[in-house]
Amino acid sequence: MKRSFLKVLTATALVAILGSAFIGCGNTQSEPKEQEGEKKELNIAIFEGGYGKDYWEEIVKKFEGDNPDVKVNMEINPKIGDIIRPKITSGNPPDFIYLGSNNESGIAQALIKDKALEDLSDLFESDDPDGGGKLKDKILPGFLDNNLTSPYGDGKVYLAPLYYGVTGLWYNSEYFKEKGYEAPETWEEFFALGDKAKADGKALYTYQGLNPGYNEAVMISSLASVGGQKLVDNVLSYEEGTWKTEEAQKVLGVFNDIAQKGYLLDGTVAMNHTQAQTEFLQGKALFIPNGNWFEGEMKDAIPESGFKFGFMPAPAFNKGDQRYAMSMIEEMYIPKAAKNKDLAKEFLKYQYKNENVKLNAEKSGGVVPIKGGIELAKPYLPESNYNCFMVFENGIKPVFQDFKPTPNVEVKVYDEIYNPIGSLMNKEITVYQWTERIESATAKVREAQK
């Protein structure tokens, strides 16, 4: 299963459009005055998900050890959003929250809607806790200037990136080495490998047929490569005519070429994600889209010999064009109504200390998006994880599929983008029909937004 943070489109995004989930949560409260000899208290709320709780238990002890005048009160739970909702509603939110903006509770989306998040820009303008410049310059490029961390487009940061993931195309690097193949940099090179694969009785491509959303690793990255961030922004904001542009049509054409030229593994459309991934591991297809969790998820199905995970971002249309890899972020943030905002900022900044980034990887297996962060995490990651995270250290840019929240409409644009891929692969629809279906869906969203 994909980590939960990959599911950016959730029903709870409706909160951001249909109205606030909170009353009074935007009221700013002054910092409490501590009596002499009393410890300052920091209240934090932590989502206990795929990264576990071991890191948070350790970092709380460590922060208290480095700050003897502070006591950290931590609530950590898989349902932390439901637990803190009444506190936020009553104007008594936690001082610090780690709960991704895609979480089904809708907490972050509601706080964004209410403009009830503390501006963190001053924190990122402050000094790197390890020295050497400002904190913002320590963060990997692209992770502070996106709609997930800067939701209002005003250049200010309201949600700080804690963990990130990477998606792209996976291949068997041992097989490529044996055959003398190079990982393709362009779509032309990619399809040239398809003809070679056919000669060897293999398919060029497979994907998790019953879960066609995995193809987002190709779709969004390719849209960014051919049309830049502007095209991606138009897609994510449902701009009229976006999918009819020459650039978007080129991307849809990639999937059409896979279908029409016989490059898809037979039976793909009817496979679930585990079946398709097993077929790939057995060498029946050269490429499959997936994320950095791939090896861990399929550890029991990996061949004992003749296989090694290789990873690459989606190819570009022209040699030398900027390439992208779709990334996901889990964020941490501070409610504007928090009572201990300055202390909360200290704790948030503490997460970016090199020693704590390393501790985080050791205890959770998570990677923090700072420069050199992947090297700090390397001892605690599978080799395949390390290799895919390294793409952002080697000139590949991140792109995020952060669709704007939609009103309560029957159609889901995400589904209309990805679900028809199976019909296209079965040659039941054309690219023109696929395009019209997406454009029709975006039109309904735009109408509902009026």
Side-chain angles (χ1 to χ4, degrees):
M1 294 287 289
K2 293 191 277 187
R3 280 197 189 274
S4 61
F5 65 4
L6 189 55
K7 299 285 189 180
V8 177
L9 287 180
T10 64
T12 53
L14 300 176
V15 174
I17 292 293
L18 297 178
S20 170
F22 311 128
I23 302 297
C25 63
N27 296 335
T28 302
Q29 301 188 25
S30 59
E31 298 278 333
K33 294 182 179 180
E34 302 295 330
Q35 298 296 320
E36 187 174 352
E38 285 187 0
K39 284 192 175 186
K40 295 181 286 186
E41 293 197 14
L42 178 68
N43 297 309
I44 68 173
I46 306 298
F47 172 63
E48 183 183 354
Y51 295 109
K53 62 181 180 179
D54 291 352
Y55 168 70
W56 293 104
E57 291 174 343
E58 288 292 323
I59 203 65
V60 165
K61 293 176 186 176
K62 193 169 184 290
F63 187 75
E64 289 178 333
D66 288 344
N67 300 273
D69 61 334
V70 174
K71 174 176 172 52
V72 179
N73 302 313
M74 178 173 67
E75 282 190 289
I76 182 167
N77 194 284
K79 295 291 186 181
I80 193 65
D82 296 333
I83 293 171
I84 64 175
R85 186 185 305 280
K87 298 179 181 180
I88 297 174
T89 303
S90 65
N92 187 34
D95 301 312
F96 169 98
I97 300 172
Y98 157 56
L99 179 66
S101 60
N102 63 311
N103 184 268
E104 62 184 11
S105 67
I107 292 294
Q109 292 291 348
L111 289 170
I112 291 169
K113 168 65 177 175
D114 285 351
K115 296 189 175 181
L117 289 173
E118 180 71 5
D119 181 0
L120 304 177
S121 303
D122 60 336
L123 184 148
F124 286 99
E125 289 289 346
S126 68
D127 292 338
D128 175 356
D130 293 299
K134 293 183 177 181
L135 177 58
K136 69 177 184 180
D137 297 324
K138 185 176 191 173
I139 307 300
L140 286 177
F143 281 84
L144 291 179
D145 55 354
N146 61 77
N147 291 338
L148 294 175
T149 53
S150 182
Y152 307 119
D154 57 2
K156 297 179 180 180
V157 179
Y158 293 87
L159 300 96
L162 179 59
Y163 298 120
Y164 72 111
V166 188
T167 68
L169 290 171
W170 294 85
Y171 61 94
N172 180 355
S173 62
E174 282 290 320
Y175 180 75
F176 271 49
K177 182 178 179 181
E178 174 190 325
K179 301 294 291 187
Y181 297 162
E182 296 289 334
E185 296 182 11
T186 66
W187 285 112
E188 182 179 358
E189 294 171 354
F190 178 84
F191 286 117
L193 284 177
D195 296 326
K196 295 178 179 179
K198 284 183 180 181
D200 290 337
K202 298 178 182 291
L204 174 63
Y205 190 73
T206 190
Y207 69 92
Q208 299 79 349
L210 297 177
N211 307 99
Y214 277 84
N215 286 294
E216 64 194 1
V218 173
M219 181 76 77
I220 294 298
S221 301
S222 297
L223 288 168
S225 183
V226 72
Q229 187 61 48
K230 176 62 175 175
L231 178 60
V232 174
D233 288 343
N234 288 345
V235 165
L236 300 178
S237 58
Y238 321 107
E239 288 293 323
E240 184 177 0
T242 297
W243 290 94
K244 294 181 179 180
T245 62
E246 179 181 354
E247 293 83 3
Q249 287 291 294
K250 288 178 73 172
V251 175
L252 298 185
V254 166
F255 294 94
N256 193 52
D257 284 345
I258 291 172
Q260 296 297 326
K261 297 179 180 179
Y263 291 133
L264 185 72
L265 177 66
D266 288 344
T268 289
V269 174
M271 295 180 194
N272 63 32
H273 75 285
T274 303
Q275 291 169 329
Q277 289 164 190
T278 300
E279 294 285 288
F280 164 78
L281 292 172
Q282 292 175 352
K284 296 181 181 180
L286 295 193
F287 294 99
I288 190 171
N290 214 322
N292 55 280
W293 57 87
F294 190 14
E295 179 176 352
E297 181 181 52
M298 299 298 293
K299 60 181 182 297
D300 295 332
I302 299 170
E304 293 183 3
S305 62
F307 183 89
K308 186 176 182 181
F309 283 98
F311 178 84
M312 56 173 268
F317 286 94
N318 301 299
K319 200 86 166 180
D321 284 355
Q322 178 65 54
R323 295 166 72 188
Y324 292 77
M326 197 192 86
S327 183
M328 304 78 64
I329 300 174
E330 290 195 9
E331 311 99 323
M332 47 188 174
Y333 39 93
I334 299 169
K336 190 181 291 185
K339 295 183 176 67
N340 296 290
K341 290 185 287 190
D342 289 342
L343 186 57
K345 286 183 178 181
E346 289 181 36
F347 184 73
L348 192 155
K349 186 174 181 178
Y350 195 68
Q351 309 309 312
Y352 293 118
K353 290 190 70 173
N354 289 344
E355 63 189 57
N356 296 333
V357 169
K358 186 173 183 178
L359 176 66
N360 200 332
E362 178 185 358
K363 297 297 182 180
S364 74
V367 182
V368 179
I370 66 167
K371 294 172 182 175
I374 186 60
E375 294 299 330
L376 294 171
K378 184 177 181 179
Y380 313 106
L381 301 177
E383 184 180 1
S384 67
N385 256 25
Y386 172 79
N387 290 338
C388 70
F389 278 108
M390 276 298 294
V391 297
F392 294 138
E393 306 272 354
N394 294 320
I396 304 302
K397 290 185 177 181
V399 63
F400 304 92
Q401 188 173 246
D402 44 332
F403 282 88
K404 285 190 176 180
T406 63
N408 188 15
V409 292
E410 292 181 3
V411 66
K412 294 183 179 179
V413 173
Y414 182 93
D415 290 345
E416 298 305 311
I417 293 172
Y418 295 106
N419 286 353
I421 290 177
S423 297
L424 185 78
M425 294 300 169
N426 285 336
K427 303 178 183 178
E428 297 167 351
I429 63 170
T430 64
V431 169
Y432 173 80
Q433 291 170 314
W434 186 12
T435 303
E436 289 298 308
R437 185 167 166 176
I438 300 172
E439 286 288 339
S440 175
T442 61
K444 291 178 181 178
V445 172
R446 291 192 301 274
E447 181 63 27
Q449 289 174 331
K450 291 180 180 179

